[in-house]
mmCIF file of all heavy atoms in Angstrom:
data_model
loop_
_atom_site.group_PDB
_atom_site.id
_atom_site.type_symbol
_atom_site.label_atom_id
_atom_site.label_comp_id
_atom_site.label_asym_id
_atom_site.label_seq_id
_atom_site.Cartn_x
_atom_site.Cartn_y
_atom_site.Cartn_z
ATOM 1 N N LEU A 535 119.216 77.670 61.834
ATOM 2 C CA LEU A 535 120.512 77.221 62.365
ATOM 3 C C LEU A 535 121.497 78.380 62.391
ATOM 4 O O LEU A 535 122.231 78.557 63.366
ATOM 5 C CB LEU A 535 121.052 76.064 61.505
ATOM 6 C CG LEU A 535 122.457 75.562 61.841
ATOM 7 C CD1 LEU A 535 122.549 75.100 63.296
ATOM 8 C CD2 LEU A 535 122.868 74.417 60.910
ATOM 9 N N ARG A 536 121.462 79.186 61.316
ATOM 10 C CA ARG A 536 122.408 80.291 61.238
ATOM 11 C C ARG A 536 122.159 81.305 62.360
ATOM 12 O O ARG A 536 123.083 81.775 63.014
ATOM 13 C CB ARG A 536 122.294 80.965 59.878
ATOM 14 C CG ARG A 536 123.442 81.902 59.646
ATOM 15 C CD ARG A 536 123.507 82.361 58.225
ATOM 16 N NE ARG A 536 124.569 83.353 58.123
ATOM 17 C CZ ARG A 536 124.998 83.839 56.993
ATOM 18 N NH1 ARG A 536 124.493 83.432 55.859
ATOM 19 N NH2 ARG A 536 125.959 84.744 56.987
ATOM 20 N N ALA A 537 120.868 81.587 62.596
ATOM 21 C CA ALA A 537 120.518 82.526 63.662
ATOM 22 C C ALA A 537 120.966 81.963 65.020
ATOM 23 O O ALA A 537 121.481 82.693 65.881
ATOM 24 C CB ALA A 537 119.019 82.767 63.666
ATOM 25 N N TYR A 538 120.786 80.677 65.188
ATOM 26 C CA TYR A 538 121.171 80.018 66.442
ATOM 27 C C TYR A 538 122.676 80.147 66.657
ATOM 28 O O TYR A 538 123.144 80.443 67.761
ATOM 29 C CB TYR A 538 120.746 78.547 66.364
ATOM 30 C CG TYR A 538 120.810 77.788 67.666
ATOM 31 C CD1 TYR A 538 120.000 78.134 68.743
ATOM 32 C CD2 TYR A 538 121.662 76.693 67.810
ATOM 33 C CE1 TYR A 538 120.034 77.423 69.930
ATOM 34 C CE2 TYR A 538 121.700 75.966 68.993
ATOM 35 C CZ TYR A 538 120.887 76.335 70.043
ATOM 36 O OH TYR A 538 120.932 75.624 71.208
ATOM 37 N N ILE A 539 123.431 79.946 65.566
ATOM 38 C CA ILE A 539 124.896 80.057 65.653
ATOM 39 C C ILE A 539 125.291 81.497 65.984
ATOM 40 O O ILE A 539 126.115 81.744 66.865
ATOM 41 C CB ILE A 539 125.556 79.594 64.336
ATOM 42 C CG1 ILE A 539 125.337 78.087 64.139
ATOM 43 C CG2 ILE A 539 127.047 79.913 64.332
ATOM 44 C CD1 ILE A 539 125.766 77.566 62.776
ATOM 45 N N GLU A 540 124.657 82.453 65.274
ATOM 46 C CA GLU A 540 125.001 83.866 65.495
ATOM 47 C C GLU A 540 124.711 84.277 66.944
ATOM 48 O O GLU A 540 125.524 84.925 67.585
ATOM 49 C CB GLU A 540 124.195 84.778 64.554
ATOM 50 C CG GLU A 540 124.417 84.544 63.061
ATOM 51 C CD GLU A 540 125.731 85.149 62.530
ATOM 52 O OE1 GLU A 540 126.382 85.870 63.305
ATOM 53 O OE2 GLU A 540 126.072 84.868 61.353
ATOM 54 N N THR A 541 123.538 83.865 67.445
ATOM 55 C CA THR A 541 123.145 84.255 68.811
ATOM 56 C C THR A 541 124.106 83.684 69.842
ATOM 57 O O THR A 541 124.386 84.300 70.863
ATOM 58 C CB THR A 541 121.734 83.733 69.135
ATOM 59 O OG1 THR A 541 120.939 83.823 67.984
ATOM 60 C CG2 THR A 541 121.115 84.478 70.278
ATOM 61 N N ASN A 542 124.572 82.475 69.585
ATOM 62 C CA ASN A 542 125.380 81.791 70.595
ATOM 63 C C ASN A 542 126.864 81.773 70.259
ATOM 64 O O ASN A 542 127.604 80.942 70.776
ATOM 65 C CB ASN A 542 124.870 80.361 70.769
ATOM 66 C CG ASN A 542 123.483 80.328 71.382
ATOM 67 O OD1 ASN A 542 123.318 80.645 72.550
ATOM 68 N ND2 ASN A 542 122.488 79.995 70.583
ATOM 69 N N LYS A 543 127.264 82.710 69.388
ATOM 70 C CA LYS A 543 128.648 82.739 68.906
ATOM 71 C C LYS A 543 129.664 82.592 70.044
ATOM 72 O O LYS A 543 130.621 81.824 69.956
ATOM 73 C CB LYS A 543 128.891 84.049 68.166
ATOM 74 C CG LYS A 543 129.778 83.898 66.967
ATOM 75 C CD LYS A 543 129.668 85.134 66.098
ATOM 76 C CE LYS A 543 130.019 84.757 64.663
ATOM 77 N NZ LYS A 543 129.677 85.805 63.724
ATOM 78 N N GLY A 544 129.431 83.332 71.125
ATOM 79 C CA GLY A 544 130.388 83.342 72.222
ATOM 80 C C GLY A 544 130.477 82.024 72.974
ATOM 81 O O GLY A 544 131.391 81.823 73.770
ATOM 82 N N ALA A 545 129.532 81.146 72.724
ATOM 83 C CA ALA A 545 129.495 79.892 73.476
ATOM 84 C C ALA A 545 129.807 78.688 72.594
ATOM 85 O O ALA A 545 129.601 77.553 72.987
ATOM 86 C CB ALA A 545 128.121 79.725 74.129
ATOM 87 N N LEU A 546 130.312 78.977 71.382
ATOM 88 C CA LEU A 546 130.666 77.859 70.487
ATOM 89 C C LEU A 546 132.145 77.562 70.645
ATOM 90 O O LEU A 546 132.974 78.464 70.661
ATOM 91 C CB LEU A 546 130.355 78.230 69.039
ATOM 92 C CG LEU A 546 128.876 78.346 68.705
ATOM 93 C CD1 LEU A 546 128.688 78.978 67.344
ATOM 94 C CD2 LEU A 546 128.212 76.985 68.753
ATOM 95 N N ILE A 547 132.456 76.292 70.771
ATOM 96 C CA ILE A 547 133.847 75.921 71.029
ATOM 97 C C ILE A 547 134.267 74.835 70.051
ATOM 98 O O ILE A 547 133.472 74.368 69.245
ATOM 99 C CB ILE A 547 134.006 75.382 72.469
ATOM 100 C CG1 ILE A 547 133.010 74.231 72.698
ATOM 101 C CG2 ILE A 547 133.825 76.468 73.493
ATOM 102 C CD1 ILE A 547 133.455 73.232 73.693
ATOM 103 N N ASP A 548 135.509 74.424 70.162
ATOM 104 C CA ASP A 548 135.988 73.268 69.407
ATOM 105 C C ASP A 548 135.541 72.029 70.188
ATOM 106 O O ASP A 548 136.208 71.584 71.107
ATOM 107 C CB ASP A 548 137.519 73.345 69.294
ATOM 108 C CG ASP A 548 138.074 72.256 68.386
ATOM 109 O OD1 ASP A 548 137.398 71.209 68.236
ATOM 110 O OD2 ASP A 548 139.170 72.446 67.842
ATOM 111 N N TYR A 549 134.361 71.534 69.819
ATOM 112 C CA TYR A 549 133.776 70.414 70.574
ATOM 113 C C TYR A 549 134.655 69.169 70.492
ATOM 114 O O TYR A 549 134.797 68.432 71.460
ATOM 115 C CB TYR A 549 132.368 70.100 70.061
ATOM 116 C CG TYR A 549 131.373 71.202 70.362
ATOM 117 C CD1 TYR A 549 131.094 72.189 69.428
ATOM 118 C CD2 TYR A 549 130.732 71.254 71.590
ATOM 119 C CE1 TYR A 549 130.194 73.203 69.708
ATOM 120 C CE2 TYR A 549 129.817 72.269 71.875
ATOM 121 C CZ TYR A 549 129.556 73.236 70.928
ATOM 122 O OH TYR A 549 128.673 74.232 71.199
ATOM 123 N N GLY A 550 135.242 68.968 69.277
ATOM 124 C CA GLY A 550 136.081 67.780 69.077
ATOM 125 C C GLY A 550 137.229 67.750 70.074
ATOM 126 O O GLY A 550 137.444 66.751 70.761
ATOM 127 N N GLN A 551 137.898 68.895 70.181
ATOM 128 C CA GLN A 551 139.054 68.972 71.075
ATOM 129 C C GLN A 551 138.636 68.715 72.526
ATOM 130 O O GLN A 551 139.271 67.943 73.233
ATOM 131 C CB GLN A 551 139.675 70.360 70.939
ATOM 132 C CG GLN A 551 141.014 70.493 71.628
ATOM 133 C CD GLN A 551 141.491 71.932 71.606
ATOM 134 O OE1 GLN A 551 140.693 72.874 71.749
ATOM 135 N NE2 GLN A 551 142.779 72.121 71.398
ATOM 136 N N ARG A 552 137.535 69.356 72.933
ATOM 137 C CA ARG A 552 137.073 69.212 74.309
ATOM 138 C C ARG A 552 136.642 67.770 74.592
ATOM 139 O O ARG A 552 136.897 67.224 75.657
ATOM 140 C CB ARG A 552 135.905 70.173 74.553
ATOM 141 C CG ARG A 552 135.499 70.255 76.019
ATOM 142 C CD ARG A 552 134.489 71.354 76.281
ATOM 143 N NE ARG A 552 133.823 71.081 77.549
ATOM 144 C CZ ARG A 552 134.259 71.504 78.731
ATOM 145 N NH1 ARG A 552 135.337 72.244 78.807
ATOM 146 N NH2 ARG A 552 133.612 71.193 79.837
ATOM 147 N N CYS A 553 136.013 67.193 73.613
ATOM 148 C CA CYS A 553 135.540 65.817 73.768
ATOM 149 C C CYS A 553 136.722 64.867 73.889
ATOM 150 O O CYS A 553 136.718 63.964 74.728
ATOM 151 C CB CYS A 553 134.673 65.455 72.571
ATOM 152 S SG CYS A 553 133.923 63.846 72.701
ATOM 153 N N ARG A 554 137.767 65.093 73.047
ATOM 154 C CA ARG A 554 138.950 64.223 73.111
ATOM 155 C C ARG A 554 139.645 64.359 74.455
ATOM 156 O O ARG A 554 140.291 63.429 74.922
ATOM 157 C CB ARG A 554 139.914 64.560 71.957
ATOM 158 C CG ARG A 554 139.424 64.064 70.599
ATOM 159 C CD ARG A 554 140.486 64.213 69.519
ATOM 160 N NE ARG A 554 140.832 65.612 69.232
ATOM 161 C CZ ARG A 554 140.133 66.396 68.389
ATOM 162 N NH1 ARG A 554 139.071 65.919 67.774
ATOM 163 N NH2 ARG A 554 140.497 67.646 68.178
ATOM 164 N N ALA A 555 139.512 65.533 75.084
ATOM 165 C CA ALA A 555 140.126 65.737 76.403
ATOM 166 C C ALA A 555 139.277 65.103 77.507
ATOM 167 O O ALA A 555 139.598 65.205 78.686
ATOM 168 C CB ALA A 555 140.299 67.229 76.662
ATOM 169 N N GLY A 556 138.169 64.496 77.109
ATOM 170 C CA GLY A 556 137.332 63.787 78.084
ATOM 171 C C GLY A 556 136.425 64.698 78.896
ATOM 172 O O GLY A 556 135.960 64.326 79.967
ATOM 173 N N LYS A 557 136.209 65.920 78.381
ATOM 174 C CA LYS A 557 135.351 66.850 79.140
ATOM 175 C C LYS A 557 133.936 66.864 78.574
ATOM 176 O O LYS A 557 133.749 66.631 77.386
ATOM 177 C CB LYS A 557 135.946 68.256 79.069
ATOM 178 C CG LYS A 557 137.263 68.371 79.799
ATOM 179 C CD LYS A 557 137.768 69.776 79.697
ATOM 180 C CE LYS A 557 139.242 69.842 80.045
ATOM 181 N NZ LYS A 557 139.832 71.097 79.558
ATOM 182 N N PRO A 558 132.964 67.167 79.416
ATOM 183 C CA PRO A 558 131.576 67.131 78.918
ATOM 184 C C PRO A 558 131.304 68.253 77.915
ATOM 185 O O PRO A 558 131.814 69.364 78.061
ATOM 186 C CB PRO A 558 130.734 67.339 80.189
ATOM 187 C CG PRO A 558 131.657 67.944 81.189
ATOM 188 C CD PRO A 558 133.033 67.478 80.848
ATOM 189 N N ILE A 559 130.525 67.948 76.888
ATOM 190 C CA ILE A 559 130.189 68.937 75.863
ATOM 191 C C ILE A 559 128.679 69.070 75.729
ATOM 192 O O ILE A 559 128.196 69.810 74.904
ATOM 193 C CB ILE A 559 130.758 68.536 74.487
ATOM 194 C CG1 ILE A 559 130.336 67.103 74.158
ATOM 195 C CG2 ILE A 559 132.259 68.694 74.443
ATOM 196 C CD1 ILE A 559 130.486 66.748 72.707
ATOM 197 N N SER A 560 127.962 68.343 76.532
ATOM 198 C CA SER A 560 126.520 68.315 76.341
ATOM 199 C C SER A 560 125.803 68.293 77.667
ATOM 200 O O SER A 560 126.315 67.828 78.674
ATOM 201 C CB SER A 560 126.159 67.068 75.548
ATOM 202 O OG SER A 560 124.764 66.936 75.514
ATOM 203 N N THR A 561 124.579 68.827 77.626
ATOM 204 C CA THR A 561 123.757 68.782 78.832
ATOM 205 C C THR A 561 122.931 67.512 78.869
ATOM 206 O O THR A 561 122.008 67.409 79.648
ATOM 207 C CB THR A 561 122.787 69.977 78.891
ATOM 208 O OG1 THR A 561 121.943 69.886 77.750
ATOM 209 C CG2 THR A 561 123.491 71.288 78.926
ATOM 210 N N SER A 562 123.262 66.568 77.972
ATOM 211 C CA SER A 562 122.432 65.349 77.942
ATOM 212 C C SER A 562 122.329 64.764 79.341
ATOM 213 O O SER A 562 121.304 64.212 79.717
ATOM 214 C CB SER A 562 123.007 64.334 76.979
ATOM 215 O OG SER A 562 124.341 64.062 77.317
ATOM 216 N N ARG A 563 123.404 64.944 80.107
ATOM 217 C CA ARG A 563 123.325 64.449 81.488
ATOM 218 C C ARG A 563 122.392 65.317 82.331
ATOM 219 O O ARG A 563 121.759 64.844 83.251
ATOM 220 C CB ARG A 563 124.704 64.381 82.113
ATOM 221 C CG ARG A 563 125.430 63.109 81.685
ATOM 222 C CD ARG A 563 126.746 62.986 82.366
ATOM 223 N NE ARG A 563 127.761 63.810 81.722
ATOM 224 C CZ ARG A 563 129.013 63.880 82.115
ATOM 225 N NH1 ARG A 563 129.408 63.188 83.163
ATOM 226 N NH2 ARG A 563 129.882 64.633 81.479
ATOM 227 N N ALA A 564 122.322 66.610 81.975
ATOM 228 C CA ALA A 564 121.382 67.484 82.690
ATOM 229 C C ALA A 564 119.957 67.102 82.319
ATOM 230 O O ALA A 564 119.038 67.232 83.117
ATOM 231 C CB ALA A 564 121.647 68.943 82.351
ATOM 232 N N GLU A 565 119.778 66.651 81.068
ATOM 233 C CA GLU A 565 118.440 66.225 80.683
ATOM 234 C C GLU A 565 118.002 65.010 81.479
ATOM 235 O O GLU A 565 116.844 64.853 81.816
ATOM 236 C CB GLU A 565 118.382 65.953 79.186
ATOM 237 C CG GLU A 565 118.162 67.250 78.427
ATOM 238 C CD GLU A 565 118.438 67.117 76.956
ATOM 239 O OE1 GLU A 565 118.179 66.039 76.413
ATOM 240 O OE2 GLU A 565 118.912 68.091 76.377
ATOM 241 N N GLY A 566 118.979 64.165 81.775
ATOM 242 C CA GLY A 566 118.683 63.044 82.668
ATOM 243 C C GLY A 566 118.185 63.576 84.003
ATOM 244 O O GLY A 566 117.258 63.040 84.592
ATOM 245 N N THR A 567 118.801 64.679 84.438
ATOM 246 C CA THR A 567 118.386 65.296 85.695
ATOM 247 C C THR A 567 116.960 65.812 85.597
ATOM 248 O O THR A 567 116.173 65.673 86.522
ATOM 249 C CB THR A 567 119.325 66.474 86.039
ATOM 250 O OG1 THR A 567 120.648 66.040 85.821
ATOM 251 C CG2 THR A 567 119.152 66.928 87.456
ATOM 252 N N VAL A 568 116.634 66.396 84.449
ATOM 253 C CA VAL A 568 115.264 66.884 84.251
ATOM 254 C C VAL A 568 114.295 65.711 84.403
ATOM 255 O O VAL A 568 113.279 65.812 85.081
ATOM 256 C CB VAL A 568 115.113 67.546 82.867
ATOM 257 C CG1 VAL A 568 113.643 67.754 82.534
ATOM 258 C CG2 VAL A 568 115.849 68.867 82.822
ATOM 259 N N ASN A 569 114.646 64.597 83.776
ATOM 260 C CA ASN A 569 113.760 63.435 83.883
ATOM 261 C C ASN A 569 113.626 62.975 85.318
ATOM 262 O O ASN A 569 112.533 62.721 85.797
ATOM 263 C CB ASN A 569 114.284 62.281 83.027
ATOM 264 C CG ASN A 569 114.079 62.572 81.562
ATOM 265 O OD1 ASN A 569 113.164 63.292 81.204
ATOM 266 N ND2 ASN A 569 114.934 62.039 80.727
ATOM 267 N N GLN A 570 114.767 62.891 85.991
ATOM 268 C CA GLN A 570 114.734 62.416 87.374
ATOM 269 C C GLN A 570 113.966 63.371 88.274
ATOM 270 O O GLN A 570 113.194 62.954 89.120
ATOM 271 C CB GLN A 570 116.158 62.312 87.933
ATOM 272 C CG GLN A 570 116.961 61.184 87.378
ATOM 273 C CD GLN A 570 118.388 61.293 87.872
ATOM 274 O OE1 GLN A 570 118.897 62.371 88.152
ATOM 275 N NE2 GLN A 570 119.032 60.152 88.000
ATOM 276 N N LEU A 571 114.236 64.679 88.075
ATOM 277 C CA LEU A 571 113.679 65.653 89.006
ATOM 278 C C LEU A 571 112.233 65.989 88.684
ATOM 279 O O LEU A 571 111.381 65.988 89.558
ATOM 280 C CB LEU A 571 114.504 66.938 88.987
ATOM 281 C CG LEU A 571 115.815 66.907 89.751
ATOM 282 C CD1 LEU A 571 116.637 68.140 89.431
ATOM 283 C CD2 LEU A 571 115.565 66.854 91.250
ATOM 284 N N VAL A 572 111.997 66.291 87.412
ATOM 285 C CA VAL A 572 110.692 66.831 87.062
ATOM 286 C C VAL A 572 109.762 65.764 86.493
ATOM 287 O O VAL A 572 108.707 65.497 87.053
ATOM 288 C CB VAL A 572 110.841 68.000 86.063
ATOM 289 C CG1 VAL A 572 109.484 68.519 85.650
ATOM 290 C CG2 VAL A 572 111.675 69.108 86.678
ATOM 291 N N SER A 573 110.184 65.141 85.388
ATOM 292 C CA SER A 573 109.246 64.284 84.666
ATOM 293 C C SER A 573 108.726 63.156 85.541
ATOM 294 O O SER A 573 107.528 62.883 85.566
ATOM 295 C CB SER A 573 109.924 63.722 83.428
ATOM 296 O OG SER A 573 110.590 64.749 82.754
ATOM 297 N N ALA A 574 109.634 62.510 86.272
ATOM 298 C CA ALA A 574 109.221 61.329 87.020
ATOM 299 C C ALA A 574 108.210 61.660 88.110
ATOM 300 O O ALA A 574 107.399 60.836 88.483
ATOM 301 C CB ALA A 574 110.438 60.650 87.634
ATOM 302 N N ARG A 575 108.248 62.878 88.625
ATOM 303 C CA ARG A 575 107.342 63.214 89.712
ATOM 304 C C ARG A 575 106.193 64.087 89.240
ATOM 305 O O ARG A 575 105.108 64.045 89.802
ATOM 306 C CB ARG A 575 108.126 63.940 90.823
ATOM 307 C CG ARG A 575 107.292 64.511 91.965
ATOM 308 C CD ARG A 575 106.795 63.432 92.919
ATOM 309 N NE ARG A 575 106.119 64.016 94.077
ATOM 310 C CZ ARG A 575 104.825 64.300 94.122
ATOM 311 N NH1 ARG A 575 104.072 64.085 93.069
ATOM 312 N NH2 ARG A 575 104.298 64.805 95.225
ATOM 313 N N MET A 576 106.429 64.896 88.209
ATOM 314 C CA MET A 576 105.453 65.941 87.915
ATOM 315 C C MET A 576 104.682 65.777 86.618
ATOM 316 O O MET A 576 103.616 66.337 86.465
ATOM 317 C CB MET A 576 106.153 67.295 87.923
ATOM 318 C CG MET A 576 106.691 67.530 89.301
ATOM 319 S SD MET A 576 107.506 69.057 89.515
ATOM 320 C CE MET A 576 107.725 69.012 91.282
ATOM 321 N N ASN A 577 105.234 65.053 85.656
ATOM 322 C CA ASN A 577 104.508 64.916 84.396
ATOM 323 C C ASN A 577 104.108 63.470 84.156
ATOM 324 O O ASN A 577 103.665 63.108 83.087
ATOM 325 C CB ASN A 577 105.370 65.383 83.218
ATOM 326 C CG ASN A 577 105.791 66.823 83.391
ATOM 327 O OD1 ASN A 577 105.107 67.584 84.051
ATOM 328 N ND2 ASN A 577 106.910 67.177 82.830
ATOM 329 N N LYS A 578 104.335 62.647 85.182
ATOM 330 C CA LYS A 578 104.101 61.220 85.059
ATOM 331 C C LYS A 578 102.654 60.970 84.641
ATOM 332 O O LYS A 578 102.371 60.211 83.742
ATOM 333 C CB LYS A 578 104.388 60.605 86.436
ATOM 334 C CG LYS A 578 104.352 59.118 86.510
ATOM 335 C CD LYS A 578 104.996 58.635 87.820
ATOM 336 C CE LYS A 578 104.424 59.326 89.049
ATOM 337 N NZ LYS A 578 104.995 58.820 90.305
ATOM 338 N N ARG A 579 101.763 61.653 85.295
ATOM 339 C CA ARG A 579 100.357 61.509 84.967
ATOM 340 C C ARG A 579 99.846 62.834 84.437
ATOM 341 O O ARG A 579 100.137 63.874 84.991
ATOM 342 C CB ARG A 579 99.566 61.092 86.205
ATOM 343 C CG ARG A 579 99.691 59.594 86.442
ATOM 344 C CD ARG A 579 98.940 59.194 87.672
ATOM 345 N NE ARG A 579 99.844 58.818 88.745
ATOM 346 C CZ ARG A 579 99.599 59.060 90.022
ATOM 347 N NH1 ARG A 579 98.528 59.701 90.378
ATOM 348 N NH2 ARG A 579 100.443 58.654 90.937
ATOM 349 N N GLN A 580 99.083 62.770 83.374
ATOM 350 C CA GLN A 580 98.668 63.988 82.698
ATOM 351 C C GLN A 580 97.881 64.922 83.611
ATOM 352 O O GLN A 580 97.943 66.119 83.474
ATOM 353 C CB GLN A 580 97.850 63.634 81.457
ATOM 354 C CG GLN A 580 98.718 63.187 80.297
ATOM 355 C CD GLN A 580 99.783 64.207 79.929
ATOM 356 O OE1 GLN A 580 99.481 65.363 79.682
ATOM 357 N NE2 GLN A 580 101.044 63.803 79.911
ATOM 358 N N GLN A 581 97.118 64.360 84.529
ATOM 359 C CA GLN A 581 96.259 65.230 85.326
ATOM 360 C C GLN A 581 97.024 65.967 86.428
ATOM 361 O O GLN A 581 96.461 66.772 87.139
ATOM 362 C CB GLN A 581 95.081 64.454 85.935
ATOM 363 C CG GLN A 581 95.446 63.497 87.046
ATOM 364 C CD GLN A 581 95.712 62.098 86.515
ATOM 365 O OE1 GLN A 581 96.185 61.933 85.402
ATOM 366 N NE2 GLN A 581 95.408 61.083 87.300
ATOM 367 N N MET A 582 98.322 65.674 86.574
ATOM 368 C CA MET A 582 99.072 66.330 87.645
ATOM 369 C C MET A 582 99.350 67.779 87.280
ATOM 370 O O MET A 582 99.968 68.074 86.275
ATOM 371 C CB MET A 582 100.395 65.601 87.861
ATOM 372 C CG MET A 582 100.401 64.787 89.105
ATOM 373 S SD MET A 582 102.065 64.356 89.527
ATOM 374 C CE MET A 582 101.728 62.842 90.384
ATOM 375 N N ARG A 583 98.856 68.666 88.081
ATOM 376 C CA ARG A 583 99.068 70.082 87.833
ATOM 377 C C ARG A 583 99.628 70.702 89.093
ATOM 378 O O ARG A 583 99.312 70.288 90.197
ATOM 379 C CB ARG A 583 97.745 70.761 87.460
ATOM 380 C CG ARG A 583 97.268 70.399 86.091
ATOM 381 C CD ARG A 583 95.780 70.536 86.015
ATOM 382 N NE ARG A 583 95.315 70.256 84.682
ATOM 383 C CZ ARG A 583 94.867 71.182 83.849
ATOM 384 N NH1 ARG A 583 94.818 72.437 84.228
ATOM 385 N NH2 ARG A 583 94.458 70.848 82.662
#
Side-chain angles (χ1 to χ4, degrees):
L535 175 58
R536 192 168 175 172
Y538 192 64
I539 293 171
E540 299 282 352
T541 323
N542 293 290
K543 217 165 205 168
L546 291 169
I547 54 152
D548 186 335
Y549 292 95
Q551 190 187 38
R552 189 171 161 89
C553 185
R554 286 189 295 276
K557 293 181 197 163
I559 52 163
S560 172
T561 61
S562 55
R563 279 184 280 181
E565 277 166 34
T567 315
V568 167
N569 288 332
Q570 288 173 331
L571 282 169
V572 177
S573 313
R575 173 75 174 89
M576 298 181 171
N577 301 333
K578 186 166 51 177
R579 279 179 250 145
Q580 282 305 306
Q581 71 268 32
M582 254 196 208
R583 288 154 177 252

